[in-house]
Amino acid sequence: MTEYAYAGRVRLAYRRLAGPSGAVPMVLLHGGGGDGSTWDTLAPRFARHRPVYVPDLRGMGDSERTGPYSVTGFRDDLLALLDALALDRVVLVGHSLGGLVGLLATLAAPKRMEALVLEECPPPVPLGIPVPTGLPETAPYYDREVRPSVLAALNAPDPQWWDELAGIPVPVLVVAGGPRSFLPQDPMARMAARIPAGELVTIPVGHLVHPTEPDAFATAVETFLAAR
């Protein structure tokens, strides 16, 4: 069932799955141009071990479509949503844009994170991704203004983000999609190596790791968390 909470003045949609009481909750963040439904297969599996929250980012899914859009804005929305839901400490799992949002939230508020999983997260280096000049007037699942704003940020990230990777104090699993992904894999590996408690796992199916190989992805995440 979809619920709603205000992150500042923005109404965000989320789904909540009950899990064992006392366990640190998990937040699953979807990629750009999608919504929380991309986690429908895996959320019940993760909820065997802990409560699970699956939000739609601003401008996507059932969340409010209100700009301006920016990756730092998504970060602030996420931290405000954690406040609204009284989630003091969480495990963050993010795919693509959701991974970058989770990374920036961890840099801003590391004490709120138990662990971080970055699935095919764009590394914070200039990526040179072509920025579209327009999208269809009706774009499914998301506001048509989201994508150009996000891609512009990926092509010119704040250099401080890379510098701050070396100070992340929480365990981080980087899940790479291998050579079939459109994202550069070497910077992704260097990102994992730069994080003190960073680990790299490659599941060579391309950018959409968890939708394509849900069992392999879930096993990697569960193994990583069990070792903490």
Side-chain angles (χ1 to χ4, degrees):
M1 181 180 71
T2 300
E3 301 178 68
Y4 296 89
Y6 276 90
R9 296 183 178 182
V10 180
R11 193 175 81 150
L12 298 182
Y14 69 96
R15 268 70 67 191
R16 171 173 25 195
L17 287 77
S21 61
V24 176
M26 175 180 284
V27 176
L28 300 173
L29 300 177
H30 63 83
D35 61 18
S37 66
T38 68
W39 294 106
D40 283 355
T41 298
L42 286 178
R45 175 168 171 170
F46 290 137
R48 297 174 193 166
H49 307 289
R50 61 187 73 241
V52 172
Y53 294 80
V54 190
D56 294 340
L57 296 175
R58 179 198 297 230
M60 290 170 262
D62 291 325
S63 287
E64 190 172 359
R65 284 156 166 71
T66 176
Y69 299 105
S70 68
V71 292
T72 54
F74 294 135
R75 172 203 64 195
D76 295 344
D77 288 349
L78 172 61
L79 293 174
L81 180 64
L82 297 184
D83 288 340
L85 299 178
L87 300 177
D88 295 328
R89 192 170 176 86
V90 299
V91 172
L92 273 177
V93 180
H95 174 234
S96 195
L97 171 61
L100 182 57
V101 174
L103 175 62
L104 297 183
T106 302
L107 293 177
K111 292 183 179 180
R112 304 197 69 167
M113 311 307 165
E114 179 81 8
L116 178 63
V117 177
L118 304 176
E119 175 199 351
E120 274 287 297
C121 171
V125 297
L127 294 180
I129 301 173
V131 179
T133 57
L135 291 170
E137 287 296 328
T138 302
Y141 305 117
Y142 66 103
D143 187 325
R144 63 194 298 272
E145 299 301 324
V146 171
R147 193 173 180 219
S149 299
V150 169
L151 292 181
L154 300 186
N155 289 336
D158 186 336
Q160 186 174 341
W161 299 344
W162 181 267
D163 295 339
E164 291 179 348
L165 294 176
I168 293 178
V170 302
V172 179
L173 175 66
V174 176
V175 180
R180 292 170 60 183
S181 171
F182 76 95
L183 288 177
Q185 299 293 289
D186 180 65
M188 202 177 296
R190 290 191 287 112
M191 175 173 66
R194 186 168 177 79
I195 298 168
E199 300 178 22
L200 176 69
V201 170
T202 299
I203 302 174
V205 294
H207 186 60
L208 302 177
V209 178
H210 81 265
T212 306
E213 288 288 348
D215 186 65
F217 177 80
T219 298
V221 172
E222 291 164 350
T223 301
F224 168 71
L225 294 177
R228 306 280 66 84

